[in-house]
Amino acid sequence: MGDELQADVARYGPSQIIHLDHEKSIQYSPDLWATVIAEAIREFSGDIILTSASIRGKDLMPHISAKFEKSTAQDATKLFWEGDKLLIIRPMYAGKALASFSFTGTPQFIT
């Protein structure tokens, strides 16, 4: 990960930033990427896993969360803590309504 990108991500306060580099990761493969990322989540005990809501992020995250038998919260527009629970806000019905919810247990997967 470039120093500039790592510094940009670090300003949001994550407890860890993990850069994965796998020799077969040059071409996108959701199954391979999900396997490698799931192994890192287990190794580093990730609790909240975030990715962009890009086409690739929204394709990849469900592959990862399935390896933990968890759901993915897609298209989150706001995240905030209420006590010890992470609350997630996301649009529903083509943006006509907003849903607020939280997950139980970890890891939690959010785009």
Side-chain angles (χ1 to χ4, degrees), residues 58-108:
K58 289 167 65 171
D59 178 58
L60 179 60
M61 192 62 88
H63 287 270
I64 300 167
S65 64
K67 294 189 175 295
F68 294 86
E69 297 182 0
K70 299 280 188 174
S71 298
T72 296
Q74 298 272 14
D75 299 321
T77 56
K78 185 175 182 181
L79 304 172
F80 60 95
W81 291 99
E82 189 170 277
D84 63 347
K85 280 193 168 189
L86 177 64
L87 292 180
I88 302 159
I89 307 291
R90 66 172 299 260
M92 294 178 58
Y93 308 116
K96 292 181 171 62
L98 295 175
S100 172
F101 63 95
S102 64
F103 287 118
T104 57
T106 58
Q108 299 175 18

Side-chain angles (χ1 to χ4, degrees), residues 19-94:
H19 175 216
L20 300 176
D21 191 9
H22 191 280
E23 66 273 2
K24 294 182 180 177
S25 68
I26 294 171
Q27 289 189 319
Y28 179 59
S29 166
D31 291 331
L32 172 65
W33 285 27
T35 298
V36 171
I37 293 168
E39 288 173 8
I41 292 167
R42 286 185 180 96
E43 181 178 341
F44 294 101
S45 302
D47 291 331
I48 300 169
I49 314 302
L50 302 170
T51 191
S52 67
S54 65
I55 292 170
R56 186 165 290 167
K58 289 167 65 171
D59 178 58
L60 179 60
M61 192 62 88
H63 287 270
I64 300 167
S65 64
K67 294 189 175 295
F68 294 86
E69 297 182 0
K70 299 280 188 174
S71 298
T72 296
Q74 298 272 14
D75 299 321
T77 56
K78 185 175 182 181
L79 304 172
F80 60 95
W81 291 99
E82 189 170 277
D84 63 347
K85 280 193 168 189
L86 177 64
L87 292 180
I88 302 159
I89 307 291
R90 66 172 299 260
M92 294 178 58
Y93 308 116

Side-chain angles (χ1 to χ4, degrees), residues 1-20 40 44 48:
M1 178 181 298
D3 291 339
E4 186 177 312
L5 178 58
Q6 188 156 347
D8 189 40
V9 171
R11 70 188 177 102
Y12 293 100
S15 59
Q16 287 183 318
I17 300 171
I18 300 164
H19 175 216
L20 300 176
F44 294 101
I48 300 169

